Amino acid sequence: MISKRPPEAADRAVPGHWEGDLSLGLGSSAIGTLVERTTCFNLLLHLPRMPDYGRYARIKNGPTLAGHGADAVRDAITLAC
C-alpha cells in the first residue's frame, strides 16, 4: 500500500523508487508504464495479448489473456529491464 512505503520514496530524494501504472484502450488493448520517481525516467511496456487469447470462451475469474494480467506485466517488466 502507498501508505506503507518508506519516507524517502515520498520525498523523491533517493533514486530507485519506481511507480507503475496500466492504461487500457479500446478492445482491451493495454500499455504499462514505469516511472522512476526521482528522475521521472519513463519506461513503456508493450503488453501484447497472451498466446491463448480468443481461443477459448472467457471464464469469469479465469486467466487474463488480453495482455494486461499479472503474468503479462511481469514478463514485460522482465524484458524491459
Side-chain angles (χ1 to χ4, degrees), residues 18-61:
W18 291 80
E19 186 172 298
D21 205 353
L22 178 68
S23 296
L24 298 177
L26 297 174
S28 284
S29 61
I31 189 165
T33 61
L34 290 175
V35 180
E36 199 283 324
R37 292 179 47 83
T38 300
T39 63
C40 296
F41 179 77
N42 287 278
L43 283 175
L44 298 178
L45 304 172
H46 180 234
L47 298 173
R49 299 193 193 292
M50 301 297 278
D52 287 335
Y53 179 81
R55 187 176 299 179
Y56 307 105
R58 289 183 57 195
I59 302 169
K60 184 173 181 166
N61 298 324

Side-chain angles (χ1 to χ4, degrees), residues 2-14 17 37:
I2 289 177
S3 62
K4 294 186 180 186
R5 67 182 171 194
E8 60 270 11
D11 68 10
R12 301 180 186 197
V14 178
H17 295 279
R37 292 179 47 83

